[in-house]
Amino acid sequence: WGLKLTGITIPQSQPGVFADFLTAQTFRLRIKFGSLFSQRLVIKEVSLIKPEVVWAQNKDGKWRIPSTVPEPVDPALTQPKTVTLPTIEKKAEAPEEPPVSDSEAAGPIEMEEPAPFTPEIQRVNLVHGRFQFLDEKLKNVATFDDVGFRSGFRTATDLSGTIRIEKTSLRDRFFLEQFQSPLRYAPDELDFSQITARAGGGEVTGRFTLLPQ
């Protein structure tokens, strides 16, 4: 059944936010074992079950992935120390040349480099996720409840799939239910091409495109 990890946590680095940045019930990874014998790692499916993300803007008003801040280094430990060694006088002698072996006389030996071990991911799933985005004052910007996402990779950096969000709240003023759409992500574009949802007892349709740059 592959690899299964439970109790996943990514700590929060944004000051004032008490919840962890991410907690997830389960991370599951399934592979094709036969691919291991052909210098490839084919990952059939990566699934993240019940992830919860609390993401706050930094003081510049931007959402950034948390990173570990390196501990300050004592400057005294980084200063080079000067050590005086005694001077030893020695007569210069011509270096003795080592004998040349037959292999050296024939020239350098070219070693064959092993083929690179390339991983390939075929599908990514997200099940029952919850995402909460806060501004720099820790006020709610958007909350997405019961998020489901299924996708397949077209290339290493281009994926397409479908997304479903049961409940969406924007600034605690505008609410959407049963949001769903095909989704395509590439490094230059995130596209929700056929949005359908419900709001205020009526139906909403549309399209949304985001340029990450």
Side-chain angles (χ1 to χ4, degrees):
W1 292 97
L3 173 69
K4 182 179 178 182
L5 305 177
T6 58
I8 300 164
T9 301
I10 297 179
Q12 187 70 248
S13 62
Q14 192 70 9
V17 185
F18 298 103
D20 288 317
F21 174 77
L22 179 142
T23 57
Q25 177 180 303
T26 308
F27 173 84
R28 190 174 61 230
L29 184 134
R30 293 177 177 172
I31 69 171
K32 286 185 178 178
F33 287 101
S35 67
L36 297 174
F37 302 100
S38 59
Q39 289 298 105
R40 293 169 64 231
L41 173 61
V42 178
I43 301 171
K44 295 192 293 185
E45 186 178 86
V46 175
S47 299
L48 193 58
I49 315 297
K50 290 189 177 179
E52 292 192 13
V53 173
V54 179
W55 202 345
Q57 289 178 341
N58 60 18
K59 60 182 180 181
D60 298 322
K62 296 180 180 180
W63 282 282
R64 298 293 188 194
I65 296 289
S67 59
T68 304
V69 180
E71 295 183 3
V73 180
D74 187 355
L77 298 177
T78 59
Q79 293 294 330
K81 295 181 179 179
T82 304
V83 179
T84 305
L85 297 176
T87 304
I88 301 175
E89 293 185 0
K90 187 178 181 182
K91 293 182 180 179
E93 296 178 359
E96 184 181 342
E97 294 192 8
V100 179
S101 64
D102 295 339
S103 60
E104 289 176 342
I109 300 174
E110 293 184 2
M111 301 294 291
E112 227 178 84
E113 292 187 3
F117 197 78
T118 13
E120 175 190 335
I121 301 174
Q122 295 181 338
R123 183 173 296 279
V124 173
N125 300 327
L126 188 147
V127 183
H128 298 306
R130 186 176 193 273
F131 297 82
Q132 185 178 12
F133 293 86
L134 310 174
D135 62 17
E136 67 273 15
K137 297 180 180 178
L138 305 184
K139 293 184 178 179
N140 190 54
V141 174
T143 303
F144 304 95
D145 279 308
D146 199 0
V147 180
F149 176 60
R150 289 179 61 83
S151 76
F153 280 87
R154 299 168 61 182
T155 66
T157 57
D158 190 336
L159 63 86
S160 59
T162 57
I163 187 168
R164 176 193 54 77
I165 307 173
E166 192 61 32
K167 293 181 180 180
T168 302
S169 169
L170 304 177
R171 294 283 182 186
D172 293 329
R173 294 179 181 176
F174 182 68
F175 304 93
L176 285 174
E177 295 181 347
Q178 300 171 11
F179 175 103
Q180 52 187 330
S181 173
L183 178 150
R184 177 179 174 272
Y185 172 79
D188 59 343
E189 184 179 75
L190 173 63
D191 184 38
F192 297 85
S193 56
Q194 296 175 5
I195 295 173
T196 61
R198 297 188 61 80
E203 293 186 357
V204 176
T205 60
R207 178 172 184 169
F208 177 78
T209 302
L210 175 69
L211 306 179
Q213 66 268 25

